[in-house]
């Protein structure tokens, strides 16, 4: 099977048309015809080799929605013609403790869609059946791609932290991830406080469902909610004054980061001890939880705000994202 996609050929290169042969289909693999693919910051990190694990040429793209074109003879759960999504992960071993426990996203032998293999900025992509997530009826495929990586990344912490509908919660950083978090938490029933460093986004953020927007660059605004939040989700990857957010937590509150801050986070022990507070993090989420999230999205009509570009305009789309102009997630259409 020949795949036509767009590949980075070197660190920080523009993407150029690139074709490759997929080889024989494994018995547990599926080939997916790509309808739409979102652009995630991780695609940029891999193009730029920020994590030191990029191999070129490679085709980015891991927020894929499409249709199963071919299925190996041992494939379960999905069949040819089914509409599916494929996110950050493309396979897991299916036999380790984590896989047997339903936490396939924590499998040490898992494979990421764009690490050492090719992703979804293409007409086709391959993956293991376990990560080909069936799309619920009625889903808007033109907006669903970003749910497969960015969406599940902010949905999983809500489950992990046991957030209750009666909770008052905070979201730091209202970009691609943060704006999806606001929508989830709003529909969860929570009172949602958004922390943004960009006052120009305030009305948009309120329209997404936030009850209040706090300027994260104004310390007195942060102080005004000291001790009030049961849960704070950080979606930014920059160093912040972590202690002021721990101060904003109510006793027993949980601070959770999905933003991959590269510098160590300075957390004063007393800020945790006195109010029985905790700090945690998580990657994406399991295939099962991804399916649950998609059902929740269809039921409540929760979608990311997307800007659509043609797949052939992928370089323009990447520039738009790099310049910080994306409102709020970009999707490429085949
Ligand atoms: Zn991603
Ligand atoms: Zn495993």
């Amino acid at each position: 099977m020949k795949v036509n996609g767009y590949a980075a050929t070197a660190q920080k290169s523009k993407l150029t048309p690139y074709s490759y042969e997929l080889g024989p289909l494994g018995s547990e693999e599926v080939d997916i015809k790509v309808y739409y693919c979102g652009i995630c910051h991780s695609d940029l990190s891999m193009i730029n080799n920020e994590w030191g694990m990029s191999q070129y040429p490679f085709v980015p793209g891991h927020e894929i929605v499409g249709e199963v074109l071919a299925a190996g003879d041992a494939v379960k759960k999905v069949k040819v013609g089914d509409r599916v999504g494929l996110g950050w992960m493309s396979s897991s071993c299916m036999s380790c403790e984590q896989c047997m426990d339903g936490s396939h996203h924590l499998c040490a032998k898992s494979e990421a869609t764009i690490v050492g293999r090719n992703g979804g900025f293409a007409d086709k992509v391959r993956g293991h059946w376990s990560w080909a997530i069936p799309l619920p009826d009625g889903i808007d495929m033109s907006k669903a791609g970003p749910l497969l990586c960015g969406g599940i990344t902010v949905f999983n912490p809500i489950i992990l932290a046991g957030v209750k509908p009666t909770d008052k919660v905070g979201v730091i950083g209202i970009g691609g991830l943060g704006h999806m978090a606001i929508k989830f938490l709003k529909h969860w029933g929570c009172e949602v406080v958004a922390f943004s460093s960009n006052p120009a986004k305030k009305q948009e953020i309120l329209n997404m469902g936030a009850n209040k927007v706090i300027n994260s660059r104004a310390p007195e605004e942060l102080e005004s909610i000291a001790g009030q939040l049961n849960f704070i989700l950080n979606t930014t990857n920059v160093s912040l004054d972590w202690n002021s957010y721990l101060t904003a937590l109510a006793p027993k509150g949980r601070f959770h980061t999905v933003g991959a801050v590269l510098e160590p986070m300075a957390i004063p022990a007393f800020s945790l001890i006195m109010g029985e507070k905790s700090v945690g993090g998580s990657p994406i989420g399991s295939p099962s939880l991804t399916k649950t999230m998609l059902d929740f999205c269809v039921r409540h009509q929760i979608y990311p705000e997307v800007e659509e570009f043609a797949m052939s305009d992928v370089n323009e789309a990447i520039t738009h994202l790099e310049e910080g102009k994306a409102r709020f997630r970009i999707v490429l259409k085949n």
Side-chain angles (χ1 to χ4, degrees):
M1 176 102 64
K2 189 181 176 192
V3 179
N4 302 302
Y6 292 86
T9 51
Q11 188 176 10
K12 299 186 177 175
S13 78
K14 291 272 177 207
L15 303 195
T16 48
Y18 172 71
S19 297
Y20 67 99
E21 280 295 331
L22 264 174
L25 183 68
S27 61
E28 298 200 19
E29 292 179 323
V30 292
D31 284 337
I32 299 166
K33 179 180 161 69
V34 179
Y35 289 176
Y36 297 91
C37 187
I39 305 183
C40 174
H41 273 278
S42 306
D43 293 310
L44 300 187
S45 298
M46 284 297 293
I47 293 170
N48 298 333
N49 198 21
E50 284 166 24
W51 300 327
M53 60 185 187
S54 306
Q55 293 163 22
Y56 305 94
F58 92 97
V59 177
H62 60 274
E63 293 187 337
I64 300 152
V65 290
E67 181 186 325
V68 178
L69 268 184
D73 56 15
V75 163
K76 302 173 181 71
K77 185 182 73 175
V78 293
K79 59 182 189 308
V80 171
D82 284 359
R83 299 190 308 168
V84 296
L86 184 75
W88 175 252
M89 284 198 176
S90 50
S91 82
S92 40
C93 82
M94 307 300 282
S95 61
C96 71
E97 263 183 61
Q98 284 68 34
C99 284
M100 294 303 285
D101 191 35
S103 300
H104 305 69
H105 61 300
L106 303 179
C107 170
K109 293 181 198 152
S110 64
E111 193 177 61
T113 303
I114 60 166
V115 180
R117 40 159 285 141
N118 290 314
F121 293 178
D123 58 352
K124 302 175 201 79
V125 68
R126 179 169 288 178
H128 187 269
W129 63 262
S130 58
W131 283 99
I133 315 294
L135 298 180
D137 288 343
I139 199 164
D140 182 345
M141 290 184 82
S142 70
K143 295 179 179 172
L147 296 169
L148 273 300
C149 176
I152 186 63
T153 296
V154 296
F155 189 79
N156 191 22
I158 299 171
I159 306 295
L160 289 174
V163 174
K164 298 193 288 289
T166 47
D167 281 346
K168 188 166 175 177
V169 302
V171 178
I172 308 173
I174 314 305
L177 293 177
H179 93 287
M180 285 189 263
I182 288 176
K183 294 185 182 202
F184 285 139
L185 289 161
K186 180 71 187 173
H187 287 275
W188 209 254
C190 299
E191 183 175 338
V192 184
V193 176
F195 297 96
S196 173
S197 59
N198 183 354
K201 286 184 183 173
K202 184 171 180 177
Q203 193 53 50
E204 275 176 291
I205 294 170
L206 291 172
N207 293 346
M208 286 167 198
N211 298 85
K212 185 175 184 178
V213 182
I214 283 186
N215 181 351
S216 52
R217 294 210 169 112
E220 68 282 4
E221 288 194 32
L222 264 169
E223 281 162 23
S224 74
I225 54 153
Q228 293 185 24
L229 303 178
N230 306 103
F231 171 72
I232 298 178
L233 181 65
N234 173 47
T235 71
T236 69
N237 59 4
V238 294
S239 278
L240 300 173
D241 177 5
W242 305 114
N243 195 43
S244 62
Y245 289 99
L246 295 180
T247 304
L249 283 177
K252 302 190 179 183
R254 179 168 175 139
F255 182 95
H256 193 105
T257 187
V258 296
V261 188
L262 293 178
E263 298 80 29
M265 297 165 72
I267 307 284
F270 263 118
S271 296
L272 302 180
I273 292 168
M274 298 316 287
E276 296 182 4
K277 298 174 185 178
S278 61
V279 175
S282 60
I284 49 166
S286 70
S288 167
L289 187 63
T290 306
K291 175 69 170 64
T292 300
M293 173 199 68
L294 293 173
D295 290 340
F296 185 71
C297 290
V298 170
R299 190 181 325 135
H300 294 287
Q301 289 297 298
I302 301 168
Y303 291 104
E305 317 275 320
V306 302
E307 294 176 296
E308 189 175 297
F309 285 71
M311 185 71 77
S312 54
D313 293 331
V314 61
N315 288 308
E316 286 82 342
I318 287 173
T319 303
H320 190 68
L321 176 60
E322 282 176 332
E323 289 174 349
K325 292 180 184 162
R327 290 291 183 276
F328 279 81
R329 203 74 168 173
I330 298 171
V331 165
L332 301 171
K333 181 182 195 296
N334 258 325

